[in-house]
Amino acid sequence: QVQLVESGGGLVQTGGSLRLSCAASGRTSSNYAMGWFRQAPGKEREFVAAIRWSGFSTRYADSVKGRFSISVDNAKNTVYLQMSSLKPEDTAVYYCAGRSSVVVTTTPRDYDYWGQGTQVTVSS
């Protein structure tokens, strides 16, 4: 089993930046893929970004491409989501997720492990 804990959420103004962290405990390696998802009020949980634990492959939702960046620090067993140029539409609970596969997918049901989520609120 892998335990995931998110941190770094908060309230920012439009155009601001935040960096989310996902600390992983348990067995992690290049055999795993990690992802960030978000869920806004009244909406389905949606894909944001994903990466192999090795860092060789990344994917982004069109809505965040060019504004968000996902990365991995293997030494710290931590996945990051750097968010810039934030918009009110980015307001949501952000979840870190992992799966025991190198295949980077965009569907929540493909992921086996989930964090508790961290709230990101972008004010107008």
Side-chain angles (χ1 to χ4, degrees), residues 79-90:
V79 181
Y80 301 98
L81 184 68
Q82 178 66 51
M83 306 183 294
S84 61
S85 300
L86 284 163
K87 307 174 181 179
E89 305 94 277
D90 296 317

Side-chain angles (χ1 to χ4, degrees), residues 10-68:
L11 191 157
V12 298
Q13 293 184 342
T14 297
S17 299
L18 284 174
R19 187 178 74 163
L20 305 184
S21 299
C22 174
S25 61
R27 186 177 62 188
T28 57
S29 72
S30 60
N31 294 320
Y32 283 76
M34 304 295 296
W36 286 96
F37 296 80
R38 66 187 183 187
Q39 188 164 21
K43 301 292 185 179
E44 297 291 326
R45 188 168 299 185
E46 67 174 353
F47 170 77
V48 176
I51 190 171
R52 292 183 183 180
W53 196 254
S54 65
F56 283 117
S57 180
T58 59
R59 296 183 67 177
Y60 295 93
D62 289 341
S63 59
V64 306
K65 183 72 174 181
R67 299 188 298 120
F68 292 9

